[in-house]
Amino acid sequence: MPEPQITHLRQQINYHLHRYHVLDAPVISDAEYDELYRQLVELEAAHPDLITPDSPTQRAGAPPQSAFAKVVHPAPILSLANAFNMADFYAWRARIGRLLPDPDVPLDFTVEPKLDGLSVVLTYQDGRFTQGATRGDGQIGEDITPNLRTLRALPPHIPVAPLPTPNSQLPTYLVVRGEAFFPLDKFDSFNADRLAAGEAAYMNPRNAAAGSLRQLDSAITAQRPLTLYVYDFVAWQGGRVPDTQWERLQLLRAWGFPVSPDSQYCPDLAAVAAAYERWATYRNTINYEVDGIVAKINNRPLADSLGFVGKDPRGAIALKFPAQEKTTRLLDVVVSVGRTGILAPAAVLEPVEIGGVIVRNATLHNYDEIARKDIRIGDYVLVKRAGEVIPYIVGPVIDRRDGTERIVMKPSHCPACGEPAIQPPGEVAIYCDNPACPEQLVRRVEYFVSRDAMDIESFGGQTAVLLTEKRLIHDIADIYYLNKETLLDLEGFKDKKVDNLLAGVEASKSRPPERLLAALGIRFVGSVVAALLIGQLGGIDEIAAATQEQLQAIEGIGPGTAVSVTTWFANDKNRAVLEKLRAAGLRFALERTAVAAATPQPLANLTFVITGTLPSLSRGAAKALIEQHGGKVTGSVSKNTSYLLAGENAGSKLAKAQQLGIPILDEPTLRKMLVGAQPVL
Ligand code: IVH
């Protein structure tokens, strides 16, 4: 009997709908969900008498959450039927053909990316954005207007420019629909920041978008890099809207809406097939997640006349890509040692093919994250690969546990050197605290020679392992003291290979100092911060001599970086390595002319006196800041003083300056002058 099977499928589907739409925490992949849904549709088609009004096939999406006001949509916000390959797509074409007077009438289409974000419905009255809502159950959504207003891509009024053609007369009332999403390139660093701040990471960009838009405080949404593409009209009054989907996209764009540049016109079925094929690889190169493309019949009156099945319009279809998510077994969690000594958990997976690539490993962020997601060794886990992002574990499939799963333990010792592991208070990371740890050294050497650092191409990862193992390298500076004879003794190191290696090492000696600084592997000092520090201070010795205050006075250097830098240079062992590098002939400073070019000097020829307590700068930091920008700081006010920089509780110097008519600055005004602005006093 199919009845128990149907009931079971409905329960499962409802459970997964709730996990996905309400909790933002799916436990199966979209593809697996689609498969359950497909089975239900099939069974119901064969047994229409068993269809009940509460079947998931009879409604759309999940109920809205209660915290937001409800919005009744002016027309149902429909979904899309899925095709999983071209055969499904041709079958769809044949099905709609049977509903047309001439089944073989040539049709043209648009192909648009099927963005994997959050569906939003935007209302404009007299060209002004008045309301934004989520899709909700397709009839009633949630009012998230203040949150949507924070999206820079969303036009607050339209048109942004005078209209090009009379036919594009603007409706007085307009409702459009689009998809808000989280750009991929921002996702990893956003999650890393959240973890560092002790917050939970979002499982994927879609959840990050949904979570960001469902904030009750729109100030939080405003800090998220959300963006949006608009792709359809929902309702309008007045004005005129063209009859083809392709022209509608152009018109939306002309009015100022963001429309995906990846949308295209397809004159026939073959063009759709070619687009589908192209997208299979193209999808991995773009900055947003897509789970398929949408093919829409270009002739909208014709498309709309076809009606819909349940919540899916017949005139369009989603052509899904093969899943980028799969479930597989978590075989083990191993510890990897990073160059800073971080002991990071890494997942060993039963190999699984995801989007054409065999995946064997995945990231697991840190041990708190493993505990929070309750991931256990032996679990079936949902693994996801998105764009260029490293595969990661979304979560365990709890239903598939059989009791043999094991809890993942935090490491008590470094697996490489055996020294005890430490977890600094307030940090999620666990460290090996042994500076002589051989594995850390390998990582530091690998980092030093890598492309972003000293870029020694002839020096591969295996060379780093071998040379540290053979004790030819005890610190990064030893790279510059390798000699040909000892290298020739190593297995597999022939004349040519050794010459190559040594020539690469030699050439790296002339790399600019900011590269060397970045290559040292000081925490928080990557290539951007290194270039900033060298540009401001001129060389590594100046940075080594700078106090924490002086470093913090540099715009873009925070307290964490300042502490990290001073601590690193205060360490005798690090100093010894630096001296070895200097003796080898590496570049420690910019050429003189380059220093002047790198640091703008808007305060040149100006003399300052500082008094009172400034809001954010200490006396020393203010002095350093002024001097870095070309100004001079003296101790007492005279007629030669250009400005008095005054904070709270300023005393006699303030009185003296007022007496002499010396202009008085506060800290914010000084900061504006640093970027070249004239002070407004
Ligand atoms: S058209 C009648 N176009 O995919 C209009 N939907 O699985 C039906 N989606 O609910 C939707 N990109 O949230 C359409 N270019 C696009 C889309 C798109 C993403 C989402 C949308 C829809 C879901 C259906």
Side-chain angles (χ1 to χ4, degrees):
M1 270 302 282
E3 199 169 349
Q5 209 183 336
I6 288 184
T7 310
H8 183 63
L9 274 172
R10 284 180 189 154
Q11 277 168 354
Q12 279 187 292
I13 289 170
N14 280 329
Y15 169 74
H16 292 304
L17 278 174
H18 178 75
R19 300 242 15 151
Y20 188 87
H21 289 285
V22 180
L23 304 180
D24 285 335
V27 290
I28 58 169
S29 68
D30 290 0
E32 285 161 318
Y33 172 82
D34 289 342
E35 176 56 24
L36 292 176
Y37 194 87
R38 196 193 56 73
Q39 286 176 16
L40 180 61
V41 170
E42 210 167 82
L43 278 171
E44 286 185 346
H47 305 275
D49 49 312
L50 294 179
I51 297 178
T52 54
D54 65 346
S55 171
T57 58
Q58 306 302 302
R59 66 173 188 131
Q65 286 184 329
S66 50
F68 295 95
K70 294 194 162 82
V71 172
V72 180
H73 298 307
I77 301 303
L78 300 172
S79 186
L80 286 169
N82 289 328
F84 295 97
N85 46 53
M86 284 315 287
D88 289 353
F89 176 74
Y90 291 125
W92 166 75
R93 171 65 185 88
R95 266 198 316 276
I96 55 176
R98 291 195 280 278
L99 298 171
L100 298 172
D102 172 7
D104 297 322
V105 65
L107 293 177
D108 59 349
F109 306 87
T110 64
V111 159
E112 303 165 25
K114 185 169 174 337
L115 303 150
D116 200 9
L118 197 76
S119 205
V120 293
V121 181
L122 313 171
T123 304
Y124 285 77
Q125 267 159 346
D126 294 321
R128 246 161 232 293
F129 174 61
T130 52
Q131 187 176 67
T134 64
R135 171 168 179 257
D137 63 3
Q139 309 287 339
I140 296 172
E142 296 159 327
D143 185 344
I144 51 165
T145 312
N147 294 350
L148 281 167
R149 277 193 204 284
T150 70
L151 269 63
R152 302 214 177 127
L154 186 143
H157 26 77
I158 51 162
V160 286
L163 294 176
T165 57
N167 134 316
S168 50
Q169 206 185 49
L170 200 67
T172 50
Y173 167 80
L174 172 69
V175 183
V176 297
R177 147 164 209 207
E179 198 89 352
F181 59 95
F182 204 104
L184 280 183
D185 63 346
K186 307 269 167 46
F187 182 66
D188 279 348
S189 62
F190 172 71
N191 256 349
D193 288 350
R194 278 182 69 86
L195 288 171
E199 293 164 319
Y202 281 105
M203 280 182 192
N204 54 46
R206 200 204 79 88
N207 289 335
S212 301
L213 279 176
R214 291 211 188 115
Q215 295 291 332
L216 289 171
D217 176 1
S218 62
I220 298 176
T221 313
Q223 289 160 17
R224 309 279 171 92
L226 289 177
T227 187
L228 161 89
Y229 282 137
V230 169
Y231 54 73
D232 206 4
F233 288 82
V234 175
W236 63 92
Q237 277 161 18
R240 233 177 302 153
V241 168
D243 277 346
T244 67
Q245 172 66 7
W246 185 240
E247 287 170 291
R248 288 185 183 186
L249 291 176
Q250 310 309 316
L251 184 57
L252 286 168
R253 186 179 285 132
W255 282 344
F257 286 107
V259 173
S260 168
D262 291 313
S263 300
Q264 71 182 93
Y265 172 74
C266 289
D268 51 28
L269 288 176
V272 176
Y276 185 50
E277 202 173 304
R278 186 178 72 87
W279 269 95
T281 48
Y282 183 65
R283 62 179 303 208
N284 289 318
T285 67
I286 52 179
N287 199 18
Y288 50 91
E289 243 188 290
V290 286
D291 54 354
I293 54 174
V294 189
K296 300 179 182 173
I297 294 178
N298 195 32
N299 179 340
R300 287 298 302 258
L302 177 86
D304 296 343
S305 73
L306 293 169
F308 37 88
V309 193
K311 58 194 167 72
D312 307 330
R314 286 202 181 88
I317 190 157
L319 252 166
K320 297 288 266 300
F321 298 132
Q324 298 270 88
E325 282 185 343
K326 285 270 176 73
T327 27
T328 187
R329 205 86 190 254
L330 176 63
L331 300 177
D332 201 0
V333 174
V334 294
V335 186
S336 76
V337 186
R339 70 188 154 80
T340 56
I342 279 193
L343 301 179
V348 180
L349 303 170
E350 201 163 274
V352 59
E353 184 268 344
I354 309 181
V357 175
I358 304 290
V359 174
R360 298 166 200 279
N361 301 97
T363 47
L364 275 165
H365 300 303
N366 58 53
Y367 287 90
D368 286 9
E369 187 79 356
I370 296 177
R372 198 182 59 76
K373 291 186 182 170
D374 188 22
I375 295 169
R376 303 183 191 179
I377 296 170
D379 264 339
Y380 282 92
V381 289
L382 176 60
V383 181
K384 175 143 189 167
R385 211 186 126 231
E388 301 297 315
V389 182
I390 317 165
Y392 64 95
I393 293 184
V394 176
V397 185
I398 311 253
D399 290 355
R400 289 179 77 173
R401 282 194 178 148
D402 63 8
T404 61
E405 297 76 18
R406 286 179 295 125
I407 304 266
V408 180
M409 303 297 282
K410 290 183 181 181
S412 58
H413 290 80
C414 171
C417 69
E419 291 287 311
I422 56 152
Q423 182 164 22
E427 280 201 43
V428 281
I430 298 176
Y431 294 88
C432 160
D433 202 23
N434 171 17
C437 172
E439 193 76 9
Q440 280 185 49
L441 178 59
V442 173
R443 294 285 105 75
R444 281 201 294 274
V445 172
E446 281 171 351
Y447 182 73
F448 187 87
V449 301
S450 70
R451 187 173 310 164
D452 284 340
M454 296 301 271
D455 194 15
I456 312 182
E457 221 178 279
S458 53
F459 207 120
Q462 278 171 359
T463 310
V465 175
L466 185 71
L467 297 185
T468 45
E469 234 172 50
K470 297 285 178 199
R471 303 192 168 274
L472 294 178
I473 289 184
H474 302 91
D475 59 50
I476 48 175
D478 283 338
I479 293 172
Y480 294 95
Y481 295 88
L482 294 167
N483 67 60
K484 192 163 174 178
E485 288 68 51
T486 23
L487 288 174
L488 281 171
D489 283 346
L490 298 174
E491 210 180 287
F493 277 67
K494 302 251 158 56
D495 222 41
K496 185 146 180 251
K497 182 166 175 171
V498 172
D499 284 346
N500 252 340
L501 178 63
L502 291 176
V505 169
E506 190 59 31
S508 75
K509 288 182 182 172
S510 58
R511 300 264 186 273
E514 62 271 23
R515 277 192 172 257
L516 175 56
L517 178 61
L520 296 175
I522 303 171
R523 212 165 162 215
F524 304 129
V525 185
S527 49
V528 173
V529 170
L532 177 67
L533 285 172
I534 294 282
Q536 292 283 316
L537 300 179
I540 292 178
D541 292 326
E542 287 78 3
I543 295 164
T547 63
Q548 201 184 306
E549 278 181 344
Q550 286 167 329
L551 293 171
Q552 250 174 277
I554 297 173
E555 199 137 351
I557 304 295
T561 309
V563 171
S564 166
V565 170
T566 48
T567 314
W568 195 93
F569 284 104
N571 181 311
D572 288 341
K573 288 204 180 106
N574 292 336
R575 290 275 191 171
V577 171
L578 269 183
E579 288 320 309
K580 263 166 87 178
L581 289 168
R582 189 196 309 275
L586 277 78
R587 286 183 54 198
F588 272 47
L590 289 176
E591 315 293 331
R592 268 274 142 239
T593 48
V595 182
T599 318
Q601 309 274 296
L603 307 185
N605 304 322
L606 297 177
T607 305
F608 293 77
V609 173
I610 308 172
T611 183
T613 313
L614 300 170
S616 80
L617 291 170
S618 70
R619 234 15 116 73
K623 181 168 186 284
L625 196 59
I626 290 169
E627 288 172 353
Q628 273 156 27
H629 291 80
K632 254 204 329 218
V633 177
T634 63
S636 58
V637 178
S638 74
K639 62 178 182 3
N640 296 326
T641 306
S642 319
Y643 294 101
L644 178 77
L645 175 59
E648 255 182 74
N649 301 323
S652 62
K653 288 181 190 170
L654 180 61
K656 177 102 188 264
Q658 281 165 341
Q659 202 186 340
L660 292 175
I662 309 279
I664 295 155
L665 296 179
D666 58 4
E667 186 188 312
T669 312
L670 174 75
R671 288 191 183 275
K672 285 183 198 139
M673 288 173 75
L674 299 180
V675 292
Q678 287 301 316
V680 180
L681 300 166

